[in-house]
Amino acid sequence: MLRISREGDDYDRNGEKLGQKLKVFGRTIACLALMAFGLGFIGALHPIGDSLSVGRIPALLAALVLSPFATAWRGVNRVLFAGLLGVTAFGAAQFVPDSPKGGGFGVYQKNLSFRTRDPRKMVADIVESQASVVTLQEVPQSRQVALEQLKETHPAQHFCPFATVGGVAVLAKSNKVLQRFPCVPDDGFAAMQIELDGQAVWVVSIHLHWPFPYGQAAQVDRLVTHLKTLDGPILIGGDFNMMPWGHVVRKIERATGTHRAGHIMTTLELRDSYPLFIDHVLVSGFETLYAERRNKISSDHYGVLVKLAPNP
C-alpha cells in the first residue's frame, strides 16, 4: 500500500509539473500574441508594423483564447478582448446594400495573375459586369491578350509595365481621354483621366509590393508623390497587398482624400486557407451604391465590383 501511495504521489507531482509547464507555455504564447497585435499598430513608425497587422485578427484571437493562462490578467475583463476583436474585424468596414441599385456606374478591380494563359473567361466576366471602369494588375507586357480582347468594350486604355509578374492597366468605356500620367518604371502605377458622367475623373491602378521586409513602404512614398499631383475626383483600384487597416492604405487615403468603397471581403487566400483582404477600390467624390466579390475564375485573386454614383 505504501508503494502504491508513493506511485500515486509521483503521479500527482508529475501532473502538477505538466500543468505548470502548460500554464507557462500558454502564458508565453498569449503574451507574444498580444505583443504582435499591439505592434501591428506601429506601421507609421516602422514598416514591420504593417507586416504584423496582416495577422492582427488571429493574434487577438490567440490572446483571447489563451488569456486564462495569463495569471497577470485575472483582473482584466475578457469582454475587453472580445470588444477589441470586434473593432479590429469590423471597424474598417463600410457596409453597403447586398442588391444592386439603379443608376451609377461600375468599377471592376482584378489581379489577373501572371500565371493565367487564357484570360477569355475573365474578360467575359468583366464584360458581363457592365463596369464602366476597369483596373487590372499582373498584366504581362509580352502577352496583353486581355487588353486586346477588351478594346471593343473598353477602348480607352493605359498600360504601364511593372515587375516580372506583369504591369498595371486602366481601362474605360469612355473614349474621352483627357490625359495619361507618364509611366514611372518600377512604381506599379497607371493613371488616366477620362470624362465620366460629364466630369473629369482620374482612374488609377496600383500594385504594391509585399510589406516589410519587401519594398512596400518605399514604393508607397513614391506613389503618394504622384497621387498628390492628380486634381479632382479620383478612383483607385488595386492589389495593395495590405489589409484595409494597414498604415500604407491609410496613407494613400489621406494623400488622395479617398475612402474605401464597399465592405471588407476576402480577395485572396494565403496557401488556400488564410483569408486576406488586400484588393481595394478607393474613391473620392463618389458614394457607394453596391459592392460584391466576383469569382476567381482563372486567377488566385477574386474580383471586386463596386457601383458608384457622384456625391449629391
Side-chain angles (χ1 to χ4, degrees), residues 7-299:
E7 287 180 352
D9 290 343
D10 290 342
Y11 180 82
D12 290 340
R13 283 195 293 270
N14 289 336
E16 288 179 5
K17 289 180 180 179
L18 178 60
Q20 288 297 327
K21 288 180 179 180
L22 287 175
K23 285 183 179 180
V24 171
F25 177 77
R27 186 183 306 128
T28 302
I29 298 300
C31 291
L32 289 174
L34 193 60
M35 183 182 300
F37 172 78
L39 290 175
F41 289 88
I42 67 165
L45 302 177
H46 194 281
I48 196 173
D50 268 356
S51 297
L52 291 172
S53 75
V54 173
R56 186 178 293 177
I57 293 177
L60 187 56
L61 274 173
L64 177 63
V65 171
L66 295 171
S67 61
F69 291 103
T71 55
W73 300 351
R74 285 177 178 171
V76 179
N77 193 333
R78 292 179 66 184
V79 174
L80 174 62
F81 291 96
L84 286 173
L85 177 62
V87 170
T88 300
F90 302 109
Q94 175 189 350
F95 294 96
V96 294
D98 293 327
S99 57
K101 290 183 177 180
F105 62 92
V107 178
Y108 192 111
Q109 153 58 27
K110 180 76 169 181
N111 181 316
L112 296 181
S113 177
F114 69 98
R115 297 182 179 88
T116 302
R117 296 296 175 183
D118 186 355
R120 283 179 294 181
K121 290 183 179 179
M122 284 189 283
V123 167
D125 188 57
I126 292 171
V127 173
E128 189 272 334
S129 74
Q130 299 184 344
S132 298
V133 172
V134 181
T135 55
L136 302 174
Q137 299 80 44
E138 295 198 15
V139 182
Q141 189 170 9
S142 58
R143 48 183 178 84
Q144 298 175 29
V145 182
L147 303 189
E148 292 293 331
Q149 293 177 354
L150 284 165
K151 273 189 176 178
E152 184 176 347
T153 56
H154 296 78
Q157 301 187 359
H158 184 37
F159 170 83
C160 289
F162 182 40
T164 54
V165 295
V168 291
V170 174
L171 294 76
K173 285 185 174 181
S174 171
N175 57 8
K176 296 182 179 179
V177 178
L178 304 179
Q179 54 181 317
R180 291 179 173 86
F181 194 94
C183 294
V184 182
D186 303 322
D187 275 2
F189 172 83
M192 178 172 68
Q193 190 182 44
I194 63 172
E195 186 175 307
L196 186 61
D197 285 355
Q199 63 176 330
V201 178
W202 279 102
V203 182
V204 180
S205 174
I206 67 174
H207 190 184
L208 299 186
H209 291 297
W210 284 99
F212 182 85
Y214 301 97
Q216 186 181 90
Q219 181 190 10
V220 169
D221 287 341
R222 298 193 301 271
L223 289 182
V224 164
T225 301
H226 305 324
L227 290 167
K228 284 182 176 180
T229 66
L230 308 182
D231 296 326
I234 185 170
L235 309 173
I236 305 173
D239 174 2
F240 286 65
N241 277 316
M242 180 49 58
M243 301 296 214
W245 50 75
H247 169 69
V248 295
V249 178
R250 301 297 192 193
K251 188 172 184 175
I252 291 173
E253 288 176 334
R254 289 194 298 270
T256 55
T258 56
H259 63 275
R260 190 170 48 81
H263 51 280
I264 290 178
M265 58 184 81
T266 300
T267 58
L268 178 71
E269 284 122 3
L270 193 61
R271 300 188 183 277
D272 296 322
S273 58
Y274 183 65
L276 296 176
F277 327 128
I278 60 176
D279 291 74
H280 312 298
V281 176
L282 309 180
V283 303
S284 72
F286 300 94
E287 63 172 333
T288 306
L289 302 179
Y290 170 69
E292 71 171 358
R293 188 178 73 174
R294 307 291 283 193
N295 291 331
K296 289 182 182 179
I297 310 178
S298 301
S299 175

